[in-house]
Amino acid sequence: MSAADTDSPSRNFAHQTVDYLRSDLRADAVAGLTVAVMGVPQAMAYALIAGLPPVYGLYTAIVTCVIAAVIGSSSHLVTGPTNALCMVILSLTAHLPAKYDITLLEAVFFLTFLTGFVQVLFGVLRLGGIVRYVSNSVVVGFTAGAGVMIAANQLKNLLGIDLTGVHAERFHEVVIATIQRLPDVNPYAAAVGAVTVVVVVTAGRIHQRLPGALLAIAIGGALSYFLGWHLPEMGANKVDIVKDIEPISGKLMGFSVPSLVASPNYELTRELGLGAVALAILGLIEAASIARAVAATSGQRLRYTREFVGQGASNMVGSFLGCFAGSGSFTRTAVCFKSGGRTRMAAIFSAVWTLVALLLLGPIANFIPKAALAGILIVVAYSMIDKHHLKLSWTSGANPRLVLVGTLVSTLLLPLEYAVFVGVFLSIFILLRTTGKTDLTQLVPTEDSSFEEVPFNQAAPSPVVTINMEGDLYFAAAEDLDYELLRSLRPETRVVVLRMKRLRAVGATAMAMLGHFWELLRARNVHLVASGIEEELAEVLTGSGLRKQIGEQNLFYADNRLFQSTELAMARAWSIVRHEQSTSGVGTAEGASCPHIRARDLVSTRSIRFGYQHQLREAVWLMSGLLEHSKALSPEPLFLQSREARLYGELSPWAALRTLAAKTKSADAVDLSDADLAERLRQDLATSIATIARRDVGDLYADATLGEIIAQSLELDQSVVPICHDDGRLQGQVTSEALLRGLDEALHKLGEEEPSD
């Protein structure tokens, strides 16, 4: 190996460094400064949520941010204190000092270490995929509930009320205790809090980039300081400031192994274990969802295992440097991205600027009123109630609504760590309930060699029953499925065809169910044929012995041509039916030919069929597309079908045009531009075709005579007459051209019967 090859890594590193200094350094430094200006007041305020002095919020914003950025993969994720995590930390640790004779900080640092350890474990074991099974409704419900809890808990600080000695942990307890102490409101603290709220809200409305939180604490602090409201001489009306909680020394906390990490308490570890798992999962959900949202815009591909290890390592290291558990912050991450941050150095720069603020402005920060920080938190709490996503979850169906309400109510009534698990378990429960039932429909062949899909057990009786199976077929879904499949049998059923192409998660329980179903069919002298068998399913069938039991001649394997194997299976099924009929002496020949011309002699199966549940816009697109490729002289109607594939009605192109043009008067239509005309027509595109369809379409069947067809055509003014099967499904249509051919044939027969001169 040459010297040049040996030096190439160092030269590449130097080259990348020069490129970074030229192209990205300034953008990252500016983005980091923007994040710090917004994030410093938030970090101090979030520490109050956790029941800690504000300076620990700054420590967390510095240390966890750097560690997570160095190890993680996201170019824009900014880690630090978050409101939801701080609420959980308070819920988990507030009662521990009195119970175990320890300080609150000791409990918080130990919890942070445990949380980081669980997150690292998730990453190392590649269990990060569990986050995907937590629905968005859990995050929305928990965040909204946490916002309400934050607002309720900060009312006392905003109003200067002292709740010392009052046991109030749940939402209703805090609200009741606060209302009972309303006569003790500190008017000066309330004034500072009100000014803070007004400044934060107003700044955001004036310009998004105005540092509302920073301006608010500056104005609130100046108001309190210069009017002397923070002085002890104010007595009961004194406004508490940061210095009264714990002075900010203007330096980082030194490295120190938490006492409970060095000498763990078994009972305390057991009590905090479940909470640490909840905190870890919540932190990973926040980090993953935020990083994914930004990556979707930036185009970056994330490595979740690395991201989870980074989050866990930041908390584990942070517990040795005075930090509480942090996670990815949506607000700070969004600001970093929108401010032009390009690499992970932007997050590191935000930590550097926060450190500079701590070192230079620490003494000044001591005079920030507690009510000002509470005012910031009240605004943050309101923003946590995402009305758009709440409405989206509420209107998305019963399942998201159940998860949303369950998580939200649990957040307000239960300890927050349990609320997290309630939401997670609700998500998993609904997922299992949804996937725990295999979707069954029936396929009915049509005369043009295609298939119609109808609801299960609603197809017309036939010797061959074709069942389409889709979805999961693991142990929960396979339970009692064999008896469910038996419901499709009729007295005349001789063969059941199972289309199994869209099945997933097929295991031993599914094979046992399928074997039992085969036995139940054999007891009824009914054959089983399977189609759409893919390679994985074929292996399971072979291993279970069912492949031999069912018989290779009754198994048809998936092909790249859609329904190819099902068509072959149907051919096999009908051959079985014909063989049984021939051996039992059942004749299949038609009776003596009827002298009448019947509908079956004139019907065309190439009729256009459409579901009645569609909108007019879909019908217009279908008809225009068909007309473009049709050679017919006149447009044909759409025959509408119900969900059971029975004839529902008829929609002609003229009825569609009349509906669209109803609001266009002939007097002014001439002067309308194409765009104006289209705008008028567009207003009715969402009309349901069921409301404008013609329902009096008759009920003729294949044995209808030529006279009956002509009579209905004249009576109902139909140029195209629908012909149905006995069960009401559309078989085809008789056009006016076919009627003329039928009349010509009838006249020809008449000519043959007339005696010659």
Side-chain angles (χ1 to χ4, degrees):
M1 182 180 293
S2 65
D5 293 334
T6 304
D7 294 340
S8 59
S10 60
R11 283 211 309 273
N12 288 339
F13 177 76
H15 181 68
Q16 292 173 357
T17 302
V18 172
D19 285 347
Y20 174 77
L21 293 175
R22 288 177 178 173
S23 59
D24 298 330
L25 175 64
R26 185 177 182 279
D28 285 344
V30 172
L33 178 61
T34 306
V35 172
V37 169
M38 183 274 299
V40 166
Q42 274 193 358
M44 298 174 67
Y46 289 169
L48 288 183
I49 299 176
L52 300 174
V55 68
Y56 292 97
L58 297 177
Y59 294 158
T60 305
I62 295 170
V63 177
T64 60
C65 184
V66 172
I67 302 298
V70 169
I71 300 178
S73 65
S74 174
S75 298
H76 302 99
L77 184 67
V78 180
T79 301
T82 68
N83 38 33
L85 289 190
C86 289
M87 277 301 302
V88 179
I89 292 172
L90 176 66
S91 174
L92 289 170
T93 60
H95 66 286
L96 296 179
K99 184 175 181 180
Y100 290 96
D101 192 24
I102 56 176
T103 66
L104 181 62
L105 285 174
E106 287 177 323
V108 170
F109 294 156
F110 184 50
L111 174 64
T112 301
F113 178 84
L114 291 177
T115 301
F117 177 78
V118 172
Q119 290 175 327
V120 169
L121 200 62
F122 269 60
V124 171
L125 298 179
R126 301 182 181 275
L127 297 177
I130 193 174
V131 175
R132 294 181 300 171
Y133 298 99
V134 181
S135 71
N136 184 62
S137 298
V138 174
V139 180
V140 173
F142 182 84
T143 304
V148 175
M149 288 290 294
I150 289 171
N153 277 287
Q154 291 305 313
L155 278 176
K156 64 180 186 294
N157 294 329
L158 184 78
L159 302 175
I161 297 174
D162 185 11
L163 293 183
T164 304
V166 178
H167 179 76
E169 294 183 1
R170 306 279 67 80
F171 169 72
H172 62 282
E173 295 172 346
V174 173
V175 171
I176 292 173
T178 303
I179 292 175
Q180 290 174 343
R181 297 294 180 92
L182 281 180
D184 301 332
V185 168
N186 182 340
Y188 301 100
V192 171
V195 168
T196 304
V197 171
V198 171
V199 171
V200 174
V201 174
T202 305
R205 291 181 177 177
I206 293 175
H207 198 284
Q208 287 185 341
R209 293 201 172 186
L210 275 177
L214 188 62
L215 288 174
I217 62 172
I219 294 173
L223 182 67
S224 171
Y225 182 82
F226 289 111
L227 294 179
W229 292 351
H230 68 293
L231 298 175
E233 290 81 359
M234 293 295 295
N237 288 330
K238 176 184 177 297
V239 175
D240 291 334
I241 58 177
V242 169
K243 186 177 181 180
D244 299 327
I245 306 171
E246 181 176 315
I248 297 177
S249 61
K251 63 180 181 180
L252 276 174
M253 182 175 177
F255 182 87
S256 174
V257 179
S259 58
L260 291 173
V261 175
S263 302
N265 180 308
Y266 174 76
E267 286 298 324
L268 177 61
T269 304
R270 187 177 60 82
E271 182 171 343
L272 281 180
L274 187 63
V277 174
L279 202 59
I281 292 176
L282 181 59
L284 292 181
I285 291 172
E286 282 191 329
S289 58
I290 294 164
R292 183 168 55 237
V294 176
T297 304
S298 66
Q300 181 189 6
R301 185 173 181 179
L302 298 174
R303 296 166 60 185
Y304 287 106
T305 297
R306 179 173 163 180
E307 202 64 59
F308 291 170
V309 171
Q311 292 292 314
S314 69
N315 285 324
M316 290 183 70
V317 174
S319 67
F320 295 90
L321 293 168
C323 303
F324 53 81
S327 181
S329 164
F330 181 80
T331 306
R332 292 192 292 276
T333 301
V335 169
C336 178
F337 179 66
K338 292 178 182 178
S339 300
R342 298 178 182 176
T343 71
R344 285 176 286 158
M345 283 300 298
I348 295 175
F349 271 117
S350 74
V352 171
W353 291 121
T354 303
L355 175 60
V356 171
L358 172 64
L359 298 178
L360 298 182
L361 304 177
I364 299 176
N366 282 316
F367 294 94
I368 297 175
K370 193 175 179 181
L373 296 176
I376 293 174
L377 290 175
I378 294 291
V379 178
V380 169
Y382 177 78
S383 66
M384 291 173 67
I385 304 174
D386 192 331
K387 292 180 284 297
H388 171 69
H389 284 95
L390 281 172
K391 181 180 179 182
L392 184 63
S393 295
W394 183 262
T395 57
S396 295
N399 289 341
R401 193 179 304 133
L402 174 62
V403 175
L404 174 69
V405 173
T407 307
L408 179 58
V409 172
S410 299
T411 304
L412 298 177
L413 299 181
L414 301 176
L416 292 185
E417 66 274 20
Y418 296 132
V420 174
F421 285 117
V422 167
V424 172
F425 286 143
L426 279 175
S427 288
I428 296 175
F429 168 74
I430 288 176
L431 174 66
L432 292 176
R433 189 179 69 173
T434 303
T435 60
K437 184 174 178 61
T438 305
D439 293 327
L440 301 177
T441 56
Q442 287 186 234
L443 300 178
V444 179
T446 61
E447 285 76 2
D448 58 353
S449 300
S450 61
F451 290 94
E452 289 179 344
E453 188 173 18
V454 300
F456 181 69
N457 202 29
Q458 294 188 26
S462 171
V464 176
V465 173
T466 305
I467 302 174
N468 185 48
M469 306 173 68
E470 294 190 19
D472 297 290
L473 197 58
Y474 61 96
F475 57 90
E479 185 72 23
D480 293 331
L481 183 59
D482 41 5
Y483 293 103
E484 178 71 12
L485 292 172
L486 286 178
R487 292 177 52 225
S488 64
L489 300 187
R490 297 291 184 271
E492 60 268 38
T493 302
R494 307 277 21 102
V495 184
V496 173
V497 177
L498 294 182
R499 183 173 185 262
M500 308 174 73
K501 186 172 184 179
R502 304 301 180 194
L503 288 180
R504 301 181 300 271
V506 180
T509 305
M511 291 300 98
M513 178 279 301
L514 192 59
H516 186 230
F517 181 58
W518 180 84
E519 293 173 356
L520 293 174
L521 292 181
R522 296 306 297 168
R524 291 166 171 77
N525 197 27
V526 176
H527 298 267
L528 176 64
V529 178
S531 69
I533 299 174
E534 297 183 294
E535 184 177 350
E536 182 179 352
L537 178 57
E539 293 177 359
V540 179
L541 285 170
T542 303
S544 65
L546 272 179
R547 187 170 184 170
K548 182 178 180 180
Q549 186 175 350
I550 297 174
E552 194 68 31
Q553 72 278 12
N554 295 323
L555 299 177
F556 297 87
Y557 301 93
D559 190 86
N560 57 0
R561 179 174 174 268
L562 192 62
F563 288 111
Q564 173 73 69
S565 65
T566 303
E567 291 173 2
L568 295 174
M570 292 289 290
R572 165 64 179 163
W574 281 107
S575 71
I576 294 174
V577 172
R578 286 192 296 271
H579 175 72
E580 287 192 352
Q581 289 177 340
S582 63
T583 56
S584 63
V586 178
T588 58
E590 294 284 347
S593 60
C594 179
H596 297 291
I597 297 173
R598 301 286 183 174
R600 65 173 61 90
D601 303 316
L602 305 175
V603 70
S604 169
T605 60
R606 302 184 62 84
S607 55
I608 308 171
R609 312 171 193 204
F610 205 47
Y612 74 90
Q613 68 273 21
H614 291 281
Q615 295 179 352
L616 182 56
R617 60 183 177 86
E618 298 169 290
V620 169
W621 291 336
L622 175 62
M623 286 190 286
S624 61
L626 291 171
L627 287 173
E628 183 178 349
H629 300 92
S630 175
K631 297 180 180 179
L633 297 178
S634 59
E636 295 182 0
L638 295 182
F639 287 114
L640 307 184
Q641 298 183 140
S642 67
R643 296 185 185 277
E644 293 77 27
R646 294 184 176 88
L647 183 61
Y648 177 85
E650 170 194 313
L651 178 66
S652 70
W654 312 118
L657 182 60
R658 280 197 303 270
T659 302
L660 289 174
K663 296 182 177 136
T664 303
K665 305 299 182 183
S666 58
D668 62 352
V670 178
D671 299 326
L672 291 174
S673 66
D674 291 347
D676 293 336
L677 179 60
E679 178 61 28
R680 289 197 182 186
L681 298 181
R682 185 179 65 83
Q683 298 174 13
D684 291 308
L685 282 176
T687 303
S688 170
I689 59 176
T691 62
I692 60 174
R694 176 178 178 178
R695 298 297 304 276
D696 58 330
V697 290
D699 53 355
L700 295 182
Y701 302 97
D703 59 351
T705 64
L706 179 62
E708 290 176 310
I709 301 173
I710 293 175
Q712 177 171 305
S713 175
L714 295 176
E715 180 183 354
L716 301 180
D717 192 22
Q718 290 176 310
S719 61
V720 179
V721 179
I723 304 299
C724 297
H725 291 285
D726 292 340
D727 62 346
R729 290 187 299 113
L730 183 65
Q731 177 179 354
Q733 63 187 21
V734 175
T735 63
S736 54
E737 292 85 356
L739 277 177
L740 288 174
R741 289 198 306 272
L743 283 173
D744 180 68
E745 184 177 343
L747 292 172
H748 180 69
K749 288 183 178 180
L750 178 63
E752 289 179 345
E753 293 175 0
E754 289 179 353
S756 57
D757 293 336

